[in-house]
Amino acid sequence: MVYVAVFLASFSSLAFEVLLARIFAVSQWHHLAFMVISLALFGFAASGVLLSFLDAWKKGWEAHLSGRRPLTLSLGLYSISALSAFIILNRLPLDYFRLPLAPIQALYLLTAYLVLSIPFLVAGGVISLAYAARVERTGWVYFATMSGSAVGAMVPGLFLPLFGEGKLLVFVCLAPLAVLPFYGKTRFRVLGAAVFASLIALAAALPVDHPLIAVRPSPYKALSQTLKFPDTRITGTTSSLRGRIDRVESPYIRYAPGLSLRYTRPMPRQTALFTDGDNRLVLYDVDAPADLDFARFTLSYAAYRLLPEPDRVLALLAGGGAAIPCALASGAAAVSVVHSHPAVAAMLKDHYGLPTTAAAHREYLASSRERFSIIHLENWGASLTGSDALQQDYDFTVDAFGAYLDHLTDDGVLIMSRRLLLPPSDALRLWASAFEGLRNQGVAEPRRHIAMLRNWDTITLIVSASPLGAASGAAPNGNPLMDWAREMNFDAVYLSDMTPETANRFNQFDKPFHYREIQALAAAYAAGTEADFFDGYPLDAAPQSDRRPFPGRILKRSELETLYKSMGSRMYAMLMSGEVVVGVVFVEALAVALLLLAAPVWVVFRKGEGGSVSGVFYFLSVGAGFMFGEMYFIKAYALLWGHPLISFAGVIGALLIFSALGGALSQRMGREAIPRILLLLLGFFALTVWGLNGLIHGMLGWSAGARYVVGAALLLPVGLLLGIPFSLGMRLLLASPRQRTYAWAANGCASVLAAILSEQAAVAFGIPAILGCAMAGYAAAWAMAALCRTDPALSP
């Protein structure tokens, strides 16, 4: 019964965590989901602390609580607390942007923390109890924990399309009640089976859009704003790990980013698709040639003026949607479309009848040998600037520009459009990434291949495989881009030989900010001082590689005070950045961790009761090392497997299965194996730093099935090794149930802190920095294990 209870608690709590991440990605923002879930995981640590106190109060508690009845009651309590937490959170008017203005929001946030912590506390208590009650079987307890968690990580990916986030979460919360038909005498078993079957039937009959479980997006998101229009409705919804897609129809949707004010004719009817309540992509009804006229008045169409009637156009879509009308309006002989979400790709193909591929953009380019006259990328990011600072996106790295250029014809053109930001940041990074991408391709004068135009809220980058020629704003028809910009009332931001008076003419700012900064950047590249330019710039505008793919990250920690003052000393403006929020969360998490670990010290290390600092630090180090290693592979595999959440579920599932096997194998090992396993882990991590990035790029062109299988196989050795140090330490380095429950608490605290630090390390220093932290954690564990050998306080 103990192993079954551990499996069910682990399965349900991990699935609950993954589904909460999806729910908060829709109802709030990705970084808030990360914050709430990370703090909720302190429930696991708190369970170890509570059991430590229980050991001081009552001896033999582990034998009493590991019986069938207490475990059944614990699983029932978990199901009730998890369902209650979801219902409360779903109806809580939490708006953390209003924290500095509305003190009641602090109470709502505290309520969210507390209700989330309870189900994790109960689940963690069941697992911690098993380690205390089955001292000689810790390897099998670890196996039940990790295998249950692995199944829990995989279930959302399989069943989200069938049930949606809310309804699937209800099933997951009820899953531990599957023990009811096996509890007590025959009549109780029959009653338990009837209760369980009734609850499942009730959950199955619950409509997906029932107010109790329906997940509604943040009022700040584009979907919420669009639904305020009259006669606007959601006509279809589909969910998966890649995101929830809502299809919206309305006679009032008017979306054409970069449209010139000179366009005065009607827009075609539009249908909008929203991913997780934001990131809008529009389908335009093209029933007649006149429906494409608006596209000829958009910023992006500038590049099509350079290549009339192009041969082949590739539209890479991650939002927007105007790329397809632009391509059709140009008279292109062939248009191919790529979108990463299978459901969206199917809708695009059905709507336009064009060849459409469901694949990540980099994956498609790596597998294709075709060359295109025009590659048109649309990726607008989150509607709220800064909220996507922690999201990985491989569309804008220097490596990505190399892939785009490799697939252009000799006179081909790349188009990218983004939101216009002040102070200039994203535009600088785009220009620098294009420059370095061209330079890496051996182009002698990259600046002559780059152009940038803007209107009042949009900026468009144009990169040509061949030189664009001299730009002259004075001579008629001296430059087709300058002439067309003048005709459409667009402003030139960068052309290789443009003059200052041709900037900031139509959509005027106080000063030509973007023009000035890009001219300064171009001069820095010409002088070879670009590193000094980026170091001295108040925002993070440096080009990024695939090792640090976070285009939404623009803040510099060293400049936070300056930025805070520049925004009128308004705290809520700073809260728009996910990176700032996570930094605040780390401070809070550290305080909670210290409180949890300090509270039972007088109990665990009471005089004459044993206890050792080295033993505690061993489990802190192992917990941190495991989480850092797991987070590294999650982020590294986002490129290989095409989406961060696919990587999240797949890596966690694979690592937990393999570490479960490692825990089972540890039952055959002795104390002398601990330092050897830790050294093997360090060696494997060193090989990973050296070779994994190249392997991933080499596999990008493979089929999806091959990438999944080989990627999972690469995790086998590290997963086996990761599963051994904790289970061996629990069995051989600790002497009492009290020490084991405290070690469980220490491991949980370290895991949460490491998860938060991983995000910060990846954004600031690059993804490989996370693996460096993992190596530091396991090196510290190796040192602590050596100290534990001669420490009588931790000898069994």
Side-chain angles (χ1 to χ4, degrees):
M1 178 64 181
V2 171
Y3 300 123
V4 173
V6 168
F7 180 90
L8 289 173
S10 301
F11 156 73
S12 186
S13 61
L14 204 290
F16 184 65
E17 179 184 345
V18 174
L19 288 170
L20 278 177
R22 288 292 320 124
I23 288 168
F24 274 100
V26 176
S27 64
Q28 297 289 337
W29 301 90
H30 287 277
H31 60 268
L32 186 62
F34 170 81
M35 174 182 69
V36 175
I37 293 170
S38 295
L39 289 182
L41 287 176
F42 273 122
F44 282 102
S47 68
V49 172
L50 291 178
L51 292 178
S52 296
F53 282 113
L54 180 61
D55 187 78
W57 176 62
K58 182 179 178 63
K59 295 295 182 182
W61 60 272
E62 67 275 12
H64 175 72
L65 292 181
S66 59
R68 186 179 295 268
R69 182 178 180 182
L71 287 174
T72 302
L73 291 174
S74 296
L75 293 176
L77 178 60
Y78 166 82
S79 293
I80 293 171
S81 62
L83 280 172
S84 301
F86 169 54
I87 292 171
I88 292 171
L89 284 168
N90 209 26
R91 304 186 71 83
L92 200 65
L94 179 62
D95 183 354
Y96 76 103
F97 287 128
R98 298 178 60 202
L99 270 172
L101 307 175
I104 191 65
Q105 291 297 326
L107 178 61
Y108 294 150
L109 193 57
L110 177 62
T111 302
Y113 292 160
L114 292 177
V115 298
L116 275 176
S117 67
I118 295 173
F120 287 102
L121 186 149
V122 177
V126 171
I127 299 168
S128 181
L129 167 65
Y131 281 114
R134 298 290 187 269
V135 177
E136 299 303 321
R137 293 289 198 173
T138 56
W140 292 112
V141 174
Y142 191 84
F143 177 83
T145 303
M146 293 304 186
S147 57
S149 298
V151 176
M154 296 176 183
V155 160
L158 296 173
F159 294 99
L160 265 173
L162 298 176
F163 301 109
E165 295 87 358
K167 193 167 184 176
L168 181 57
L169 188 138
V170 173
F171 284 123
V172 163
C173 293
L174 294 176
L177 298 182
V179 298
L180 290 178
F182 305 98
Y183 169 69
K185 298 180 180 179
T186 302
R187 64 176 182 275
F188 291 113
R189 294 185 179 187
V190 172
L191 179 61
V195 169
F196 180 66
S198 299
L199 290 172
I200 293 297
L202 183 62
L206 202 62
V208 176
D209 58 352
H210 191 283
L212 208 59
I213 63 171
V215 180
R216 308 190 187 284
S218 163
Y220 300 103
K221 290 192 169 183
L223 174 58
S224 299
Q225 299 297 318
T226 302
L227 290 175
K228 292 180 179 179
F229 293 133
D231 302 322
T232 300
R233 60 194 179 93
I234 297 176
T235 59
T237 298
T238 181
S239 294
S240 71
L241 283 179
R242 295 179 182 273
R244 191 180 88 174
I245 305 299
D246 291 292
R247 185 181 180 115
V248 176
E249 294 185 359
S250 170
Y252 301 103
I253 297 177
R254 299 287 188 274
Y255 184 70
L259 185 66
S260 170
L261 295 177
R262 284 188 173 274
Y263 183 77
T264 58
R265 295 191 293 276
M267 291 286 294
R269 184 177 176 85
Q270 304 170 24
T271 300
L273 308 177
F274 296 88
T275 302
D276 289 340
D278 208 55
N279 196 20
R280 169 173 38 199
L281 187 148
V282 168
L283 306 176
Y284 298 90
D285 287 352
V286 183
D287 300 322
D291 292 329
L292 297 171
D293 287 346
F294 81 95
R296 299 184 179 92
F297 287 76
T298 60
L299 264 174
S300 299
Y301 198 76
Y304 292 89
R305 294 292 296 265
L306 298 175
L307 292 173
E309 299 185 358
D311 182 35
R312 296 185 58 81
V313 175
L314 175 63
L316 302 175
L317 301 183
I324 296 177
C326 283
L328 296 175
S330 72
V335 180
S336 299
V337 183
V338 179
H339 195 285
S340 63
H341 199 296
V344 176
M347 294 180 198
L348 286 166
K349 184 176 183 178
D350 181 66
H351 187 81
Y352 290 109
L354 297 172
T356 305
T357 303
H361 298 159
R362 297 286 299 281
E363 169 194 332
Y364 176 85
L365 291 171
S367 62
S368 173
R369 295 185 178 180
E370 294 183 78
R371 300 180 72 190
F372 300 90
S373 305
I374 293 177
I375 296 178
H376 191 161
L377 172 69
E378 278 199 276
N379 185 337
W380 297 91
S383 60
L384 194 61
T385 302
S387 62
D388 56 353
L390 304 179
Q391 289 182 237
Q392 289 174 253
D393 194 326
Y394 291 91
D395 281 349
F396 303 105
T397 64
V398 175
D399 307 80
F401 274 88
Y404 302 140
L405 293 169
D406 284 339
H407 286 78
L408 288 178
T409 57
D410 292 341
D411 59 349
V413 176
L414 168 67
I415 311 167
M416 289 185 181
S417 292
R418 298 280 282 174
R419 289 185 177 86
L420 187 69
L421 302 179
L422 276 175
S425 54
D426 196 43
L428 290 175
R429 178 176 288 156
L430 280 180
W431 192 96
S433 299
F435 187 96
E436 294 195 7
L438 288 162
R439 188 172 61 183
N440 293 343
Q441 294 282 317
V443 175
E445 294 184 274
R447 65 183 183 83
R448 295 187 59 205
H449 295 248
I450 303 174
M452 191 172 278
L453 307 175
R454 71 167 179 88
N455 67 354
W456 61 277
D457 72 338
T458 304
I459 196 159
T460 293
L461 173 74
I462 299 171
V463 183
S464 175
S466 59
L468 288 170
S472 172
N477 302 318
N479 182 281
L481 287 177
M482 185 66 78
D483 295 340
W484 184 80
R486 186 187 304 110
E487 178 186 343
M488 293 292 164
N489 287 1
F490 293 143
D491 288 292
V493 174
Y494 180 82
L495 289 165
S496 60
D497 297 316
M498 68 180 288
T499 55
E501 59 271 14
T502 60
N504 203 36
R505 291 192 299 177
F506 301 107
N507 306 277
Q508 293 188 353
F509 294 117
D510 292 340
K511 297 178 181 178
F513 300 109
H514 296 84
Y515 167 78
R516 287 185 177 183
E517 296 300 341
I518 290 183
Q519 288 295 325
L521 177 58
Y525 270 104
T529 59
E530 63 271 17
D532 294 334
F533 175 89
F534 292 121
D535 288 342
Y537 197 70
L539 296 174
D540 179 7
Q544 298 176 337
S545 70
D546 284 349
R547 294 175 178 267
R548 194 170 75 98
F550 300 95
R553 197 260 188 171
I554 58 174
L555 293 184
K556 280 185 177 179
R557 293 187 184 89
S558 59
E559 300 290 338
L560 283 180
E561 183 178 355
T562 302
L563 290 170
Y564 173 67
K565 292 179 180 178
S566 71
M567 289 186 284
S569 300
R570 293 172 293 183
M571 181 59 70
Y572 69 85
M574 299 299 291
L575 290 176
M576 291 183 183
S577 171
E579 188 180 3
V580 171
V581 172
V582 173
V584 173
V585 169
F586 176 76
V587 174
E588 295 177 349
L590 181 61
V592 174
L594 292 175
L595 178 63
L596 286 175
L597 293 176
V601 164
W602 66 276
V603 175
V604 179
F605 299 124
R606 201 165 47 183
K607 186 176 180 180
E609 294 274 336
S612 168
V613 173
S614 60
V616 172
F617 273 95
Y618 173 83
F619 284 96
L620 284 170
S621 302
V622 167
F626 187 101
M627 183 55 68
F628 278 127
E630 187 176 65
M631 290 296 293
Y632 167 76
F633 285 106
I634 287 172
K635 293 194 173 297
Y637 272 44
L639 177 60
L640 179 65
W641 286 349
H643 194 278
L645 280 175
I646 298 294
S647 175
F648 176 80
V651 168
I652 286 181
L655 281 182
L656 292 181
I657 289 174
F658 299 147
S659 61
L661 295 175
L665 290 174
S666 72
Q667 283 293 126
R668 300 174 177 268
M669 300 178 185
R671 188 166 179 165
E672 70 283 352
I674 294 178
R676 298 174 185 172
I677 293 297
L678 293 171
L679 288 175
L680 277 174
L681 259 176
L682 290 172
F684 188 87
F685 283 161
L687 285 175
T688 300
V689 170
W690 174 72
L692 184 61
N693 187 60
L695 280 175
I696 288 175
H697 282 82
M699 290 189 289
L700 272 182
W702 295 7
S703 67
R707 284 183 286 109
Y708 289 139
V709 171
V710 175
L714 290 174
L715 296 175
L716 174 59
V718 70
L720 289 173
L721 294 173
L722 286 172
I724 296 173
F726 179 85
S727 52
L728 272 183
M730 274 286 186
R731 177 162 58 91
L732 301 173
L733 298 182
L734 302 176
S736 69
R738 192 178 307 165
Q739 291 180 6
R740 291 183 177 88
T741 55
Y742 189 77
W744 173 258
N747 188 270
C749 288
S751 296
V752 176
L753 293 174
I756 300 173
L757 281 175
S758 294
E759 296 289 342
Q760 297 283 16
V763 169
F765 307 109
I767 295 171
I770 306 176
L771 199 57
C773 294
M775 295 177 72
Y778 279 113
W782 179 85
M784 293 300 106
L787 291 176
C788 289
R789 286 181 175 224
T790 56
D791 191 342
L794 287 179
S795 299

